[in-house]
Amino acid sequence: MEELDVEPAITNIPAASDGKHLGFAWGPGDILAYETLYMAPGMCRHQHKPLSMFSHSCAKGSGCSFIHEVRKDEDIYSPILRKLFNESHHIFVGLQTIREDLPSKNKKTQFVSISKNYRSVIRACMEELQQVAASVLVLQVSILLAIELIWNLCEVLFIDAAPAGPLLLHLLDWVRLHKGDVDEKAREVLQSESPAEHHDYWDVVVSYVLQGRFEEARQMLVKQATLQPAARNMYKLMDTLLSKMPFYNPGGTQTLTEFDVKWRHWHEEVDRCLQDNSFASNQHLEIICKILVGDEDTLLEHKELLSTWYHFLVTRLLFCHPTVKPTELHYYAQSCMTMFLDLRSVPEPLDSILLAAFEFDIHQVIKDCSIALNNWWFVAHLTDLLDHCKLLQSHNLHFGSNLREFLLLEYASGLFTHHSLWQLAVDYFDNCPEFGHVYLELQIERVPLDTERKALKVLRICEQRQMSEQVRSICKIMAMRALRNNRLGSALSWSIRAKDAAFATLISERFLQDYCARGTFSDLDLIDNLGPAMLLSDRLTFLVKYREFHKLYEENRFSEAAKLLLSLITAKIAPRSFWMTLLTDALPLLEQKEVSHSAHCALHCGFGHDLCFSKHT
Amino acid sequence: MCEKCVNAKYVSQKISKTRWRPVSHSSLQQPDIFATGSWDNEDNKISFWSIGNHGSSGMDEGFEGDPQLLCEHKHDGDVLDLQFLDQDRIVTTSSTGAVTIFRHHQNSQTISVSQRWPRVHRYPCDNAPCTGVVCSSPEIVTVGEDGKIIVFRADQEGVIRVIENADSSTIHAVTYLRTTEILTVNSIGQLKLWDLRQQSNSPSQILSLSGDRLPLHCVDRHPNQQHIVATGGQDGMLCVWDVRQGSTPFSLMEAHSAEMWEVHFHPTNPDHLFTCSEDGSLLHWETSTHSDMPSFLQGGRNNSMISRSAMAPAGGNQSLISTWLSGDSSKGRLETTHMLPSQTLSVNSLDVLGQCLVCGTDGEAIFVNRQVPV
């Protein structure tokens, strides 16, 4: 067995008594655990005390009668997160239908838009969770935040795959999107009586600068400038510097090299201002100038405003290396992380995942996410999207399928354990070419069928996928149930659906037994109106025809009745037990004058023939 | 009407039934409140929703504003059918065989159980799901998998009448034909007419499809012409019947590729019909209106839908012959439009009133369209 990546998590079962030995059984999505009477070696038999630990008495022979269900994935039972599963299912199914033969440029735009769709679904869920504002959900919100952060970065780096130049712009957007508190603070400051004197004012300005939002920074600075007319020139200089910072324009005609040259000019100009002590009299402007020049120490002084190492990374890139290439990212990422985090603090899972993303190690990202999250939703959908972008190497796993299929199967199997979401899982299995069908066959039989309507839906799923064995078995279950409740018509309609001749025979036998017992037919509305369905089984045909014979006889249409009876006898579809009955039925007909002569003879012959036959058997 | 003008609202429960609250005939208001029932949940619910349509005429878009949840209540078992009894009360039938009347208190936006008949549909040793209900206040008629037809009166304890063994197979739906006659459909493809004034336990008429006896799942009567009935069944075919004539359907149209769950004539514009199905589509059927010019000479029609049936006589008797009974098994003079984006899961239920249409799906989504072209 391979080495474990992480230590397994320990879950305490609070209701189980201390010191008891637990037995367990695996279920599809959970574990059932129960207490046993097993004595672990090292426990003293007589006193029921473990030798080493404190004493613990329990009555001899008693046991707890509970079964504990330990579930790994609580998320599928959350009503708000359910929307995530449903909406993303819709997006997933749409993604699978993107045609392979589109030119890759069009496909890339589509993939990016699908990625954005997924993310907007995550955001919508997050917003809803935040509105509910229960303490229990804070953890879920933060998990969703992290998921969206990772997904967004993957979209920027892998799916959109921006080259040097636009790359930084995308990363800036990424950071801005995930640092929402700046706008909140800004709103607070602007709504106050004198914004320039608000205690958070400079924090807001610096935050804007750190995020590269110079327009907003300049607007804020104007307010301060009007308060200090004496320092007008200084503010004007800062304003000029901020307005002249070049940003790469992906749609423009400027090449990356030209942009780089322009940027270096601007950088030199800012550096000159710093050396000239142009802002020496105003510490805030001096700090901003140092930030603009990319001074690491100043940046690190503002750890609180940056709050994360990846914000620090992007800011540093903005002011030091705006033409950073994708392949260079990991170098800067590693160094920024080291600089930003304390030497003593352990990197959190999120940090190592982001670092792996900057290193373009997709497999590591997926692996770390699988471990960190308790639900396969994220990795399954992200991997599927990346696979469509042809970004995953097709190395096979030990157990035969590729990574994408493995994750989708795990996710869908988890869905199938849910009483309601199992229907979504069907589409996921459909899109796993190697094992999906087999998984579906095994799982679909376990769906409980409480009502006919549900059974019909399950049947439709099976029929559309040519799972004939499952169709037969479901119809048989429903037909048996109907038969037990004496609903012969329902039972028959199920056997017609499954084209189950054997069961139709069984039902017909029931009818015939009823007739023998009571002398009349039950459920005439069914037998009289079967139409071509009666040909499903010989016995059924016989039943219908026999009833028809009775009808003809009651209507005094004796010649037709006789002909019918004759054909019934000669066709030999009657059950053996019925032969005597048929022959007895023939007797009164022989006395009827209307029965034609030929029919008369035929009946006699038939009579004789069968009488002989029955004597010899 | 473009498909994109319909937005989905995800509600975390699979919707089995949805119905508009009736609006008074005198007012020209569009409906604003609808009720839904869920199924296949451990805790099923009935809920009331509002689309905030209180006489606002300034709405240009067809989909502004999601439906807002007003209130909800726990429901024991799947909600298999749901009907409004009057402005404040709904009747629901459950997979546990119970029939319940809920009252919606508009002032406090709460729901309470007004009356309950537990386990009215049952087998000797088990509950039987109650599959359909129709009501004409105060009378309520329900049908179930046990093949019984049961008549109740709201505000009266116990049942008024039970027709035991009305059917040897499951009865899937029921509707009123006249005030004293009902129509049921079952899982061996038969329509049965029952006259409630008579005491006998057998139907007054039985109609069925020739050929395969496939289950019928839904039935609806033409609002003005009481002899015209539409049904849908397991194979997704839409059948229109004339119950006065003959015992087989008048016209058959291929509609869906899987079970048709509901069929509805538009209550005020019966030239329009709506069907929804397990295959995830919702179709809007529109017959051409009475006109002197044959339809294939009118501009703007989709030619592939034009039938080969005979031209209608200019003016004349057309008003007496419903355009639904064109007697042609091709699409007739019909236009069919898909109303939902593709790739939704099964659409279990729909309701249409005025210009508003609501439907619910197994993808746990509700779609509301406020500008149905009728």
Side-chain angles (χ1 to χ4, degrees):
Chain A
M1 190 165 118
E2 292 182 17
E3 275 180 22
L4 296 172
D5 295 302
V6 289
E7 283 305 309
I10 297 181
T11 310
N12 283 322
I13 301 179
S17 327
D18 261 340
K20 284 285 195 175
H21 212 83
L22 290 178
F24 71 96
W26 282 107
D30 45 25
I31 304 177
L32 295 177
Y34 53 93
E35 292 176 12
T36 63
L37 296 175
Y38 174 71
M39 302 286 177
M43 284 176 96
C44 173
R45 280 193 182 272
H46 294 299
Q47 292 157 314
H48 298 271
K49 285 183 203 166
L51 285 178
S52 53
M53 300 296 278
F54 37 88
S55 68
H56 183 104
S57 65
C58 56
K60 197 174 179 184
S62 77
C64 182
S65 56
F66 291 133
I67 294 182
H68 311 282
E69 187 187 349
V70 185
R71 243 182 222 164
K72 187 181 179 221
D73 177 16
E74 275 295 309
D75 288 345
I76 51 178
Y77 293 93
S78 147
I80 295 177
L81 283 183
R82 255 169 94 155
K83 302 187 197 191
L84 183 72
F85 299 125
N86 277 291
E87 285 203 69
S88 57
H89 164 263
H90 189 88
I91 301 173
F92 173 84
V93 172
L95 170 59
Q96 309 308 311
T97 59
I98 286 186
R99 288 170 41 210
E100 281 296 315
D101 53 352
L102 282 180
S104 56
K105 189 158 173 286
N106 295 358
K107 276 207 270 189
K108 188 166 107 149
T109 354
Q110 273 197 303
F111 289 144
V112 170
S113 113
I114 286 178
S115 176
K116 289 196 194 322
N117 275 349
Y118 273 123
R119 283 196 298 120
S120 69
V121 169
I122 301 175
R123 293 208 140 244
C125 259
M126 211 160 43
E127 275 164 33
E128 218 181 304
L129 279 174
Q130 278 169 335
Q131 277 175 1
V132 171
S135 58
V136 145
L137 298 175
V138 166
L139 181 63
Q140 271 181 343
V141 173
S142 61
I143 291 177
L144 283 181
L145 266 169
I147 285 179
E148 213 254 316
L149 181 75
I150 301 170
W151 194 306
N152 199 345
L153 185 61
C154 291
E155 180 187 312
V156 166
L157 295 177
F158 306 144
I159 302 175
D160 214 349
L167 176 60
L168 181 65
L169 298 174
H170 287 280
L171 285 175
L172 267 178
D173 283 333
W174 174 65
V175 158
R176 285 176 194 161
L177 195 58
H178 292 97
K179 193 104 181 53
D181 57 354
V182 174
D183 290 305
E184 261 179 62
K185 244 197 254 180
R187 234 193 320 263
E188 222 185 276
V189 167
L190 288 171
Q191 281 169 356
S192 70
E193 284 206 12
S194 176
E197 288 167 345
H198 196 281
H199 61 87
D200 276 338
Y201 171 82
W202 283 110
D203 277 348
V204 171
V205 176
V206 172
S207 299
Y208 277 144
V209 172
L210 289 171
Q211 286 191 2
R213 289 159 79 173
F214 294 155
E215 269 302 314
E216 285 115 316
R218 287 166 63 201
Q219 280 170 11
M220 289 291 278
L221 279 175
V222 159
K223 297 190 195 300
Q224 188 68 242
T226 47
L227 276 187
Q228 299 178 22
R232 224 182 41 178
N233 285 341
M234 236 189 341
Y235 280 91
K236 197 130 195 312
L237 179 60
M238 176 55 73
D239 191 72
T240 321
L241 284 179
L242 286 173
S243 66
K244 277 185 3 185
M245 167 154 176
F247 277 90
Y248 182 71
N249 181 1
T253 49
Q254 192 188 47
T255 65
L256 197 63
T257 337
E258 286 169 11
F259 163 75
D260 196 33
V261 165
K262 255 188 99 179
W263 182 81
R264 280 183 200 286
H265 273 299
W266 174 85
H267 194 264
E268 276 164 21
E269 198 181 324
V270 179
D271 202 26
R272 239 177 294 132
C273 290
L274 203 57
Q275 305 301 337
D276 285 348
N277 288 328
S278 313
F279 300 107
S281 50
N282 186 326
Q283 66 157 142
H284 295 287
L285 291 180
E286 174 98 348
I287 286 175
I288 293 178
C289 193
K290 284 194 183 159
I291 291 175
L292 287 180
V293 98
D295 182 43
E296 276 167 20
D297 294 322
T298 323
L299 288 178
L300 282 170
E301 276 167 28
H302 289 90
K303 264 196 203 176
E304 274 212 33
L305 291 181
L306 289 170
S307 74
T308 55
W309 64 270
Y310 40 92
H311 191 333
F312 172 54
L313 164 69
V314 175
T315 306
R316 187 171 159 224
L317 289 173
L318 174 65
F319 294 120
C320 304
H321 315 277
T323 55
V324 62
K325 293 205 229 13
T327 43
E328 293 167 351
L329 268 180
H330 75 274
Y331 166 69
Y332 292 112
Q334 183 67 65
S335 67
C336 282
M337 193 162 98
T338 328
M339 275 193 268
F340 193 91
L341 296 176
D342 283 330
L343 286 169
R344 283 160 295 153
S345 66
V346 178
E348 291 187 359
L350 177 62
D351 295 326
S352 37
I353 293 171
L354 291 175
L355 195 61
F358 284 121
E359 290 168 2
F360 283 81
D361 189 350
I362 298 183
H363 287 275
Q364 190 64 35
V365 172
I366 294 172
K367 188 170 168 193
D368 286 343
C369 288
S370 310
I371 294 171
L373 299 166
N374 69 344
N375 182 294
W376 295 101
W377 178 86
F378 173 59
V379 283
H381 287 88
L382 181 63
T383 312
D384 174 60
L385 183 57
L386 293 175
D387 187 68
H388 272 91
C389 302
K390 305 266 189 288
L391 290 169
L392 291 179
Q393 299 158 316
S394 58
H395 73 267
N396 280 345
L397 303 173
H398 297 299
F399 12 90
S401 63
N402 62 23
L403 183 63
R404 167 191 173 268
E405 183 158 323
F406 170 71
L407 293 173
L408 284 177
L409 289 172
E410 287 292 313
Y411 173 63
S413 307
L415 278 183
F416 236 106
T417 64
H418 192 271
H419 51 259
S420 209
L421 294 174
W422 58 271
Q423 268 185 292
L424 303 179
V426 174
D427 282 310
Y428 288 100
F429 283 139
D430 280 346
N431 286 295
C432 294
E434 256 192 79
F435 293 122
H437 193 86
V438 173
Y439 268 68
L440 183 61
E441 276 179 14
L442 292 173
Q443 298 268 25
I444 199 102
E445 284 191 319
R446 292 166 194 273
V447 176
L449 304 171
D450 307 316
T451 60
E452 280 205 2
R453 182 164 280 224
K454 188 159 177 191
L456 288 171
K457 286 178 186 269
V458 175
L459 263 183
R460 180 59 62 177
I461 291 172
C462 296
E463 279 176 358
Q464 281 172 343
R465 291 155 183 81
Q466 281 90 40
M467 292 169 24
S468 44
E469 219 183 277
Q470 279 71 27
V471 170
R472 237 175 292 134
S473 105
I474 291 171
C475 285
K476 199 159 272 179
I477 293 172
M478 297 306 288
M480 273 312 289
R481 207 185 283 177
L483 209 56
R484 237 198 348 248
N485 289 316
N486 218 20
R487 311 292 311 145
L488 296 177
S490 286
L492 195 59
S493 87
W494 288 110
S495 16
I496 291 174
R497 175 122 186 211
K499 301 197 191 7
D500 193 343
F503 214 88
T505 307
L506 194 76
I507 298 171
S508 319
E509 297 267 308
R510 270 283 281 268
F511 272 113
L512 293 171
Q513 278 166 17
D514 272 352
Y515 169 76
C516 288
R518 290 187 297 172
T520 53
F521 287 101
S522 60
D523 300 315
L524 286 177
D525 65 327
L526 174 66
I527 307 176
D528 284 342
N529 290 298
L530 268 182
M534 69 168 159
L535 298 172
L536 181 60
S537 116
D538 275 350
R539 198 57 44 86
L540 190 58
T541 319
F542 169 74
L543 173 67
V544 175
K545 290 291 173 193
Y546 189 59
R547 155 71 191 153
E548 206 180 305
F549 162 72
H550 272 273
K551 250 203 321 205
L552 290 172
Y553 192 87
E554 279 161 27
E555 290 165 9
N556 293 341
R557 287 151 70 181
F558 297 121
S559 56
E560 289 167 53
K563 279 200 204 104
L564 183 54
L565 186 58
L566 187 63
S567 62
L568 279 179
I569 294 174
T570 48
K572 290 197 169 52
I573 54 173
R576 193 158 292 176
S577 52
F578 240 74
W579 286 352
M580 281 314 292
T581 322
L582 284 180
L583 298 176
T584 350
D585 285 331
L587 283 175
L589 279 177
L590 291 172
E591 294 165 11
Q592 292 294 333
K593 296 193 191 73
E594 290 157 41
V595 175
S596 73
H597 185 66
S598 54
H600 229 256
C601 296
L603 269 177
H604 269 290
C605 295
F607 199 171
H609 176 270
D610 276 321
L611 212 47
C612 291
F613 201 60
S614 61
K615 268 196 190 155
H616 291 290
T617 49
Chain B
M1 190 73 217
C2 61
E3 296 170 357
K4 294 191 179 59
C5 297
V6 185
N7 270 356
K9 173 151 177 91
Y10 286 89
V11 295
S12 303
Q13 44 179 315
K14 293 204 280 207
I15 302 293
S16 58
K17 284 289 166 186
T18 161
R19 294 280 180 263
W20 287 112
R21 190 182 64 170
V23 290
S24 55
H25 291 292
S26 52
S27 77
L28 292 168
Q29 269 187 339
Q30 293 293 318
D32 63 336
I33 293 187
F34 63 92
T36 59
S38 76
W39 77 285
D40 213 18
N41 255 345
E42 278 172 349
D43 300 310
N44 286 299
K45 295 197 278 243
I46 50 146
S47 325
F48 283 86
W49 306 78
S50 162
I51 56 171
N53 232 349
H54 300 284
S56 49
S57 53
M59 298 257 192
D60 301 313
E61 303 296 325
F63 59 90
E64 248 180 48
D66 279 343
Q68 298 302 319
L69 179 65
L70 293 175
C71 45
E72 58 188 18
H73 193 281
K74 202 170 81 75
H75 186 272
D76 200 21
D78 294 345
V79 177
L80 290 179
D81 204 354
L82 188 157
Q83 290 284 348
F84 270 89
L85 190 59
D86 52 35
Q87 283 282 314
D88 301 313
R89 291 182 297 174
I90 57 170
V91 190
T92 67
T93 63
S94 160
S95 59
T96 60
V99 178
T100 321
I101 299 182
F102 291 91
R103 183 181 288 274
H104 176 208
H105 304 275
Q106 315 253 8
N107 301 332
S108 55
Q109 291 302 349
T110 52
I111 304 175
S112 60
V113 176
S114 165
Q115 206 171 351
R116 195 154 190 270
W117 292 271
R119 300 190 69 227
V120 276
H121 284 275
R122 60 174 180 271
Y123 303 122
C125 353
D126 209 3
N127 290 338
C130 176
T131 51
V133 69
V134 74
C135 51
S136 153
S137 187
E139 186 178 75
I140 302 171
V141 180
T142 66
V143 293
E145 282 188 19
D146 55 355
K148 289 194 203 144
I149 301 177
I150 304 185
V151 183
F152 309 81
R153 268 184 112 74
D155 306 324
Q156 225 172 324
E157 291 278 325
V159 304
I160 304 296
R161 180 172 169 197
V162 178
I163 304 181
E164 298 268 356
N165 232 351
D167 208 311
S168 60
S169 65
T170 302
I171 307 179
H172 285 290
V174 63
T175 187
Y176 275 105
L177 199 60
R178 274 172 255 277
T179 40
T180 52
E181 282 182 13
I182 56 171
L183 198 60
T184 61
V185 291
N186 65 13
S187 51
I188 41 177
Q190 299 171 327
L191 266 99
K192 294 188 183 175
L193 254 95
W194 303 83
D195 189 338
L196 293 176
R197 288 169 301 190
Q198 302 192 349
Q199 283 309 106
S200 87
N201 277 358
S202 45
S204 44
Q205 202 182 344
I206 300 184
L207 303 96
S208 58
L209 292 159
S210 57
D212 283 333
R213 298 287 201 261
L214 291 174
L216 291 173
H217 289 298
C218 52
V219 63
D220 195 27
R221 194 205 71 195
H222 193 286
N224 306 331
Q225 293 167 309
Q226 292 180 337
H227 52 277
I228 296 179
V229 160
T231 62
Q234 185 182 300
D235 54 355
M237 295 268 276
L238 173 65
C239 304
V240 183
W241 311 65
D242 182 342
V243 297
R244 297 171 311 191
Q245 304 177 11
S247 60
T248 53
F250 217 95
S251 58
L252 289 138
M253 288 160 274
E254 268 181 33
H256 296 281
S257 55
E259 283 88 351
M260 187 192 297
W261 293 123
E262 283 200 22
V263 61
H264 286 270
F265 282 100
H266 191 284
T268 46
N269 275 17
D271 282 341
H272 298 261
L273 182 92
F274 298 84
T275 59
C276 67
S277 159
E278 177 74 20
D279 67 6
S281 61
L282 199 162
L283 292 178
H284 171 191
W285 303 73
E286 187 180 339
T287 59
S288 56
T289 49
H290 314 310
S291 76
D292 293 330
M293 218 188 338
S295 51
F296 57 84
L297 290 180
Q298 290 172 358
R301 294 251 178 224
N302 185 351
N303 282 333
S304 63
M305 299 287 192
I306 300 303
S307 82
R308 296 172 292 280
S309 64
M311 260 165 57
N317 286 334
Q318 241 192 326
S319 51
L320 297 176
I321 308 170
S322 170
T323 43
W324 288 109
L325 301 180
S326 57
D328 196 301
S329 62
S330 70
K331 295 237 175 17
R333 271 171 273 133
L334 284 178
E335 257 187 46
T336 326
T337 331
H338 283 268
M339 295 203 74
L340 291 180
S342 56
Q343 291 145 18
T344 51
L345 288 180
S346 163
V347 184
N348 292 325
S349 174
L350 76 96
D351 198 16
V352 62
L353 192 59
Q355 280 198 312
C356 299
L357 176 124
V358 63
C359 66
T361 70
D362 271 347
E364 307 195 352
I366 296 179
F367 294 85
V368 177
N369 188 327
R370 278 184 241 224
Q371 290 192 329
V372 179
V374 291

